[in-house]
């Protein structure tokens, strides 16, 4: 549906409006908005889809790995490894950085986990060839880390940002109305 076109969903008539284009953000993340004519609900369909995807991706990775949220959000494209078994079979591995136990873990990735990680990578690459490098602020150490290809990054305030533990654990309702604050990726 192009900006300006109208459609009817469950008796409500909606018109798609174009959001501002975001520099450096894949085109599918540029916040097109849908508004209803009259007194119906107004919502940001792109924001809702973005929230649904990252919620699904987080739950699936946590379910398949047993990782904690802090470990999940520190995953990078470099965390994915391959091991060639003596039989010649290639086994995908996921390396989880040390955190609470100060020990890194390497988890064999089953096909379901590989599928989820592939969808995450495809989404954050967008039309680019590589996973974007972003810095991540460590709230405990109070420093920014070096640019890394984090897997859990999404558009917020019209630019790509790494999802932080405080954002993933908050209960901010701002996801419903669009990225209004730095905690817009919070769970409801």
């Amino acid at each position: 549906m192009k900006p300006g076109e109208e459609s009817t969903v469950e008796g409500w008539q909606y018109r798609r409006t174009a959001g501002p284009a975001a520099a450096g953000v894949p085109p599918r993340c540029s916040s097109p908005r849908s508004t209803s004519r009259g007194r119906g609900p107004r919502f940001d369909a792109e924001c809702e889809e973005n929230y649904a995807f990252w919620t699904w991706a987080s739950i699936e990775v946590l379910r398949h790995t047993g990782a904690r949220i802090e470990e999940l959000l520190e995953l990078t494209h470099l965390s994915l490894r391959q091991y060639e078994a003596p039989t010649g079979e290639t086994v995908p591995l996921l390396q989880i950085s040390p955190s609470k136990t100060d020990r890194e873990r390497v988890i064999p990735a089953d096909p379901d986990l590989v599928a989820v990680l592939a969808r995450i990578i495809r989404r954050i690459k967008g039309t680019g060839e590589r996973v974007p490098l972003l810095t991540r602020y460590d709230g405990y150490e109070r420093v920014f880390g070096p640019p890394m290809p984090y897997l859990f990054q999404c558009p917020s305030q019209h630019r790509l940002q790494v999802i932080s533990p405080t954002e993933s654990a908050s209960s901010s309702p701002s996801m419903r109305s669009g990225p209004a604050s730095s905690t817009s990726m919070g769970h409801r």
Side-chain angles (χ1 to χ4, degrees):
M1 195 162 106
K2 295 179 182 176
E5 291 182 1
E6 294 185 1
S7 64
T8 303
V9 178
E10 296 182 5
W12 294 101
Q13 193 168 17
Y14 291 92
R15 184 182 75 241
R16 176 156 182 182
T17 58
V25 177
R28 67 175 183 273
C29 300
S30 62
S31 296
R33 300 188 188 282
S34 294
T35 58
S36 66
R37 295 175 56 129
R39 32 183 197 124
R42 178 184 177 145
F43 70 97
D44 185 333
E46 194 74 22
C47 186
E48 290 290 327
E49 188 277 336
N50 194 43
Y51 173 80
F53 175 83
W54 288 109
T55 300
W56 169 82
S58 300
I59 290 170
E60 287 298 302
V61 172
L62 290 171
R63 183 172 73 91
H64 288 290
T65 63
R68 291 186 304 285
I69 291 175
E70 297 83 16
E71 295 170 331
L72 169 94
L73 298 177
E74 290 177 0
L75 291 176
T76 68
H77 198 220
L78 304 173
S79 301
L80 306 171
R81 307 275 183 194
Q82 289 186 359
Y83 169 73
E84 189 168 330
T87 61
E89 180 184 7
T90 301
V91 179
L93 302 172
L94 181 64
Q95 178 183 359
I96 297 181
S97 299
S99 63
K100 181 178 173 183
T101 61
D102 290 331
R103 292 179 54 206
E104 94 177 356
R105 296 180 289 155
V106 179
I107 300 170
D110 66 6
D112 292 336
L113 177 59
V114 171
V116 172
L117 294 172
R119 288 188 67 184
I120 291 170
I121 291 168
R122 201 169 33 246
R123 184 179 188 92
I124 59 179
K125 275 182 166 180
T127 57
E129 295 179 16
R130 300 174 186 217
V131 173
L133 300 177
L134 298 177
T135 59
R136 181 175 178 271
Y137 183 73
D138 185 335
Y140 299 109
E141 300 290 329
R142 299 178 187 246
V143 295
F144 283 94
M148 300 284 289
Y150 288 100
L151 294 181
F152 286 83
Q153 54 177 274
C154 65
S156 178
Q157 299 178 346
H158 307 296
R159 63 188 173 105
L160 285 173
Q161 293 181 346
V162 178
I163 300 171
S164 74
T166 55
E167 291 167 344
S168 65
S170 73
S171 58
S172 171
S174 61
M175 267 311 278
R176 288 255 178 235
S177 60
S181 69
S182 64
T183 61
S184 64
M185 283 308 299
H187 294 295
R188 293 177 268 210

